[in-house]
Amino acid sequence: MNTDKHSPGPKKEDYLSHIAFDSVIFGFNGKQLKILVLEYQNTGLFALPGGFVKRNESLKDAVTKGVMERTGIEDLYLEQFHTFGDLDRFDSKAMERILEMNGLDIKAHEWLLDRFISIAYYALINFEEVNPIPDSLADSIEWYSLDELPPLMMDHEEIVQKALETLRENLDKKLLGMNLLPTKFTMKELQNAYEKIMGETFKRTAFQRRMLATKNLVRHEKLFTGGAHRAPYLYSFKIK
């Protein structure tokens, strides 16, 4: 939810009715895949970063601003991947609790207790380059590993799974377009990135053949480290 620290809370007249957004921010440092999750103050409720769309702004601007306020990154590329609108996707009791624990008048914010259709976005960044910033209703916002995610409210676990499915389907494009590996990397480093994000193990020779067949890689000099093992070649992504 997007509010200023000293704000009395979002006003109904400022926002489009029944439209929200949720963002799944994947963080990857070449070794671990994590997701950005916030915890609402004094509630024990965990959720994806999200918010609402003002009447005088575009959906894209609302999402970009919301993510920038949580990550500090202004030019982050976000991709819309799904719209969630099931009848049971809202939880008025949870929202009541969030408002109450933050000292906000429930009657004045009754519009937040209604059903919202959420448009979901995802992004892939290096979590080591981000210092997450909680909003006014959150105790904290932290990076969580996929296998250590806390229970998420409403349908946010479903949103995460759909985002992960989309990321995996588009991983070639995502790694090619993001600076998540060194400028020059070994095939082993590239394979490790795929295995961590895909959640499975690949045979080395089959993986190498598949990557070379994409024609997205440029082979460079070998990486000599002085060790006794065979020196691997370095690769980089071909600039398109």
Side-chain angles (χ1 to χ4, degrees):
M1 186 179 299
N2 234 354
T3 62
D4 297 326
K5 284 292 181 183
H6 303 291
S7 168
K11 298 179 180 179
K12 180 179 180 179
E13 58 268 25
D14 294 337
Y15 294 87
L16 297 176
S17 299
H18 307 292
I19 298 293
F21 66 85
D22 287 296
S23 49
V24 182
I25 309 301
F26 291 106
F28 184 68
N29 68 345
K31 299 177 181 179
Q32 293 178 290
L33 181 66
K34 299 186 176 184
I35 294 178
L36 198 58
V37 175
L38 60 83
E39 180 180 3
Y40 286 119
Q41 289 181 19
N42 306 313
T43 65
L45 295 172
F46 295 86
L48 296 169
F52 309 107
V53 183
K54 288 185 176 180
R55 295 183 181 275
N56 62 350
E57 69 181 346
S58 69
L59 172 62
K60 181 180 178 181
D61 287 345
V63 178
T64 300
K65 179 182 177 183
V67 173
M68 185 274 291
E69 290 175 345
R70 273 58 173 268
T71 65
I73 301 178
E74 296 186 10
D75 57 352
L76 180 61
Y77 175 72
L78 290 142
E79 187 169 320
Q80 185 181 136
F81 68 92
H82 200 70
T83 299
F84 294 85
D86 286 352
L87 288 172
D88 59 354
R89 79 163 310 271
F90 74 99
D91 185 347
S92 61
K93 293 297 182 183
M95 184 55 68
E96 278 187 25
R97 188 176 176 191
I98 292 169
L99 294 173
E100 183 180 5
M101 290 296 100
N102 283 276
L104 295 175
D105 182 74
I106 293 178
K107 189 67 176 177
H109 297 85
E110 196 170 19
W111 67 283
L112 294 174
L113 308 181
D114 209 340
R115 176 190 171 201
F116 281 81
I117 291 174
S118 182
I119 302 163
Y121 288 74
Y122 82 106
L124 182 62
I125 59 178
N126 187 336
F127 63 75
E128 292 183 348
E129 298 177 355
V130 176
N131 292 314
I133 307 164
D135 62 29
S136 63
L137 300 183
D139 275 330
S140 66
I141 183 167
E142 304 287 347
W143 292 106
Y144 290 86
S145 298
L146 278 176
D147 57 356
E148 296 178 348
L149 283 180
L152 301 178
M153 61 184 294
M154 298 194 298
D155 60 350
H156 287 200
E157 289 187 17
E158 180 186 348
I159 294 175
V160 168
Q161 290 306 313
K162 183 65 176 178
L164 185 59
E165 176 186 317
T166 306
L167 171 63
R168 288 170 172 170
E169 289 175 351
N170 296 279
L171 187 53
D172 289 347
K173 182 179 71 173
K174 282 294 178 182
L175 283 182
L176 181 61
M178 306 293 165
N179 298 317
L180 299 174
L181 288 168
T183 303
K184 292 182 180 180
F185 47 83
T186 65
M187 188 64 69
K188 183 177 181 179
E189 288 174 320
L190 181 61
Q191 182 172 342
N192 178 70
Y194 269 81
E195 289 181 342
K196 294 298 183 183
I197 295 175
M198 297 298 291
E200 57 181 298
T201 302
F202 302 108
K203 290 185 178 180
R204 182 181 62 83
T205 53
F207 177 82
Q208 180 168 313
R209 284 197 301 270
R210 176 191 163 197
M211 289 296 103
L212 294 177
T214 66
K215 306 297 184 181
N216 288 331
L217 298 178
V218 177
R219 192 167 79 173
H220 300 280
E221 70 279 5
K222 288 187 175 183
L223 175 64
F224 291 98
T225 61
H229 59 279
R230 186 176 178 182
Y233 282 102
L234 289 168
Y235 295 87
S236 65
F237 288 119
K238 188 178 296 183
I239 299 175
K240 302 228 176 176

